[in-house]
Amino acid sequence: MKKIIFMFLIIFSSISFTKEMVGNASWYGESWNGRKTANGEIFNSAKMTCASNSHKMGTNIEVTNLSNGKSIVCRVNDTGGFAKYGRILDMSKRAFSKIGDVNKGVIKVKIKVVK
């Protein structure tokens, strides 16, 4: 019985039951241009992309700034070490600038997968 419960936990631990996440998002920009992202493409701060440790590469996610209600859709093409700073998402400069002030650097957002 313990083995069955353990296997159940292993199988379902990788499945996200929540469709939305709330947390802080930051941006990364020009200094990363030309470098390869985790999926192998070349980073371009002018594209609508983001880095996420919670979503698969190629996933389109809607990001909403909770302070002003503005939303955009961006594509996950990278991962990163930003979670240790209390962030759930790192966006390209262009994506971030559409919903927030790049001079602030960090905003509280809601993210959900777009089907």
Side-chain angles (χ1 to χ4, degrees), residues 10-26:
I10 296 281
I11 291 169
F12 288 101
S13 67
S14 63
I15 298 173
S16 174
F17 290 101
T18 60
K19 293 185 178 185
E20 296 182 355
M21 295 174 69
V22 173
N24 291 324
S26 54

Side-chain angles (χ1 to χ4, degrees), residues 20-24 66 88 108-111:
E20 296 182 355
M21 295 174 69
V22 173
N24 291 324
L66 294 178
I88 62 170
K108 188 152 191 162
V109 297
K110 174 179 70 176
I111 59 177

